Amino acid sequence: MEEVEIPSFFICPISLQLMKDPVTVPTGITYDRESIEKWLFSAKNRTCPITKQPIPDCDLTPNHTLRRLIQSWCTLNAAHGIERIPTPRSPLSKSQIAKLLREAKSVDMRNKCLKRLRSIATENASNRCCMEAAGAADFLATLVKNETSALAVLYHLQLSEASLKNLIGDDGVFIDSLTRIMQSGNCDSRAYAVMLLKSMFEVADIVQLSSLRMESFVEVVRILCDQVSLKATKSALKLLIRACQMGRNRVKAVEAGAMPVLIDLLLDSCDKRQSEIILTLLDVLCRCAEGRAELLKHGAGIAIVSKRILRVSETANERCVRILLSISKFSATQSIVQEMLQVGVAAKLCLVLQVEGTSKTKEKAREILKLHARAWKNSPCISAKFLSSYPA
């Protein structure tokens, strides 16, 4: 079959393939819809790939003239095996979304409209961008308090950073609504609430993080305890990690009962990634005295942290050792030091020094062994050569 050269202006600048649905961005450059949408939505870029100029509201205009030229060219070259591209379906418009939102204001039409909006949101990233530009996020946020089905649509919109910040910046009204849903909603709505709250606090500033109320911590911990779903559990863990970067929030999380729930989760967890997220949160909470006290109060606290050493990633290994170092420095009574020896902490730390690992982790392991050298000197796992470097 004779190879046919494709005219350069029929080729998408991103994919370098024949365009099937050419669209023009405000900068005047034409791309294939699939390629530019992937660039804008999947990679979350908001600039033209060629000119690097911003593209407001992801505005894409179908280039019908160019599409017809491509279709004609395909027809003329059918004898060379070129298939004619089909006429694409008309994309969703803001006016269509605006009409749905107006209809959703009617109580009788609301359920049907919310189902349609959810279907549109889950179809593709272009639809979600169009919905957000049409003001769907603000409208749905007003419904969440009384219509939990609106929460699912809001979550599936995968809101931009600007929209998420807008939801946070309403004096805590929307966060209070999510907290009430976590308190009394069904499993699905509780899951959507914590997942959306996690997304919101990923873009929150320090002031907004510190404003999270005790009631919210209690309900997030309840979701961890109830294990509503795997995604909800991981979202709750990540939310607490983010919130607990603030010292006062660590105390709130501990007072909400997070520590025993986390240890029980870690005991039962077979998911390596989830275990590492839990260890990250334990490390953060052990930076406060209340967190260390609660970990030591749990019968399996020290043991499970020690057990996870060398069974997780290098980063998580360092967190495990850091937790034990924090306890050794600030909370180690004689009975705690003996418990650490009995559950195998000394043995694990000696293994850390022998296997390949980061220098930071080994330094922390040596520091713990040095702190307790006198109490652990009779341990069979610690060699005399090692003890000689730490005078009793």
Side-chain angles (χ1 to χ4, degrees):
M1 182 181 295
E2 183 182 350
E3 187 173 337
V4 180
E5 183 177 352
I6 303 174
S8 60
F9 51 92
F10 289 177
I11 297 175
C12 173
I14 297 175
S15 67
L16 302 181
Q17 301 293 320
L18 181 69
M19 289 187 280
K20 297 178 180 179
D21 185 7
V23 292
T24 303
V25 299
T27 59
I29 309 298
T30 298
Y31 302 92
D32 190 45
R33 181 183 293 277
E34 182 180 354
S35 298
I36 191 62
E37 285 184 351
K38 185 176 181 181
W39 165 267
L40 292 172
F41 307 131
S42 300
K44 294 190 176 179
N45 295 297
R46 287 295 181 267
T47 58
C48 174
I50 292 179
T51 67
K52 306 303 179 186
Q53 292 177 317
I55 301 176
D57 296 329
C58 308
D59 191 11
L60 307 177
T61 304
N63 192 328
H64 298 298
T65 302
L66 181 57
R67 175 179 53 77
R68 293 187 186 103
L69 286 172
I70 294 173
Q71 288 176 325
S72 297
W73 178 85
C74 290
T75 302
L76 289 172
N77 289 276
H80 300 291
I82 304 295
E83 295 183 6
R84 185 180 185 277
I85 61 170
T87 301
R89 187 177 64 180
S90 298
L92 193 71
S93 67
K94 288 184 187 179
S95 59
Q96 290 173 294
I97 297 299
K99 181 183 177 185
L100 269 175
L101 296 179
R102 286 195 300 271
E103 291 174 351
K105 292 179 181 179
S106 166
V107 177
D108 295 334
M109 295 284 290
R110 186 168 296 163
N111 193 44
K112 180 180 178 181
C113 290
L114 289 175
K115 286 181 179 179
R116 176 62 181 144
L117 287 168
R118 180 172 177 174
S119 175
I120 291 171
T122 54
E123 190 172 328
N124 57 54
S126 178
N127 286 356
R128 291 191 288 272
C129 184
C130 182
M131 290 175 67
E132 189 172 341
D138 291 337
F139 174 74
L140 292 167
T142 63
L143 296 182
V144 163
K145 184 176 180 181
N146 300 313
E147 294 282 351
T148 54
S149 56
L151 183 59
V153 185
L154 198 55
Y155 170 74
H156 286 295
L157 275 180
Q158 299 178 26
L159 297 173
S160 65
E161 182 175 331
S163 290
L164 290 170
K165 286 183 175 179
N166 188 47
L167 290 178
I168 300 173
D170 65 348
D171 297 324
V173 174
F174 186 68
I175 293 175
D176 288 344
S177 295
L178 294 182
T179 301
R180 283 192 290 273
I181 291 170
M182 289 190 288
Q183 185 177 32
S184 57
N186 58 34
C187 287
D188 287 343
S189 60
R190 292 175 70 201
Y192 285 128
V194 75
M195 290 189 290
L196 185 56
L197 194 59
K198 186 267 293 184
S199 297
M200 291 166 59
F201 274 85
E202 284 177 343
V203 301
D205 58 33
I206 292 175
V207 175
Q208 291 163 337
L209 285 173
S210 61
S211 67
L212 196 58
R213 298 178 184 176
M214 185 66 189
E215 293 84 352
S216 297
F217 282 97
V218 170
E219 296 310 321
V220 172
V221 171
R222 275 189 62 220
I223 283 178
L224 288 176
C225 186
D226 296 343
Q227 298 186 51
V228 173
S229 70
L230 183 59
K231 284 186 71 174
T233 297
K234 288 185 177 179
S235 293
L237 290 168
K238 290 176 181 178
L239 168 59
L240 289 175
I241 290 169
R242 173 68 175 151
C244 290
Q245 299 306 312
M246 302 290 297
R248 70 181 71 177
N249 283 349
R250 293 172 201 158
V251 178
K252 289 179 184 177
V254 172
E255 290 178 351
M259 192 60 80
V261 172
L262 291 172
I263 295 171
D264 290 342
L265 273 177
L266 192 57
L267 285 167
D268 297 335
S269 179
C270 297
D271 184 324
K272 183 179 177 182
R273 177 59 184 149
Q274 180 174 297
S275 298
E276 293 182 354
I277 298 173
I278 295 170
L279 288 168
T280 301
L281 183 51
L282 287 174
D283 179 27
V284 172
L285 294 180
C286 281
R287 295 175 194 172
C288 68
E290 294 85 352
R292 293 190 295 273
E294 286 297 312
L295 183 136
L296 294 174
K297 190 184 295 185
H298 196 293
I302 295 176
I304 190 59
V305 172
S306 174
K307 183 180 179 180
R308 293 291 175 171
I309 296 176
L310 301 179
R311 297 187 179 189
V312 287
S313 67
E314 280 293 336
T315 304
N317 267 338
E318 184 178 349
R319 291 192 177 107
C320 290
V321 176
R322 191 160 55 210
I323 291 168
L324 296 174
L325 178 59
S326 180
I327 291 169
S328 297
K329 278 184 172 181
F330 306 113
S331 307
T333 62
Q334 186 175 356
S335 62
I336 294 299
V337 173
Q338 287 303 312
E339 181 185 348
M340 293 172 77
L341 180 63
Q342 290 168 7
V343 300
V345 171
K348 272 295 180 73
L349 295 175
C350 289
L351 280 174
V352 168
L353 297 178
Q354 295 173 37
V355 302
E356 290 186 9
T358 64
S359 58
K360 284 185 178 181
T361 304
K362 292 188 177 187
E363 286 171 10
K364 291 179 176 64
R366 287 193 186 95
E367 190 173 353
I368 297 171
L369 290 168
K370 184 176 181 179
L371 284 169
H372 306 312
R374 186 172 296 182
W376 293 350
K377 63 183 179 180
N378 295 323
S379 173
C381 64
I382 304 178
S383 66
K385 181 180 178 181
F386 183 83
L387 284 171
S388 67
S389 62
Y390 301 112

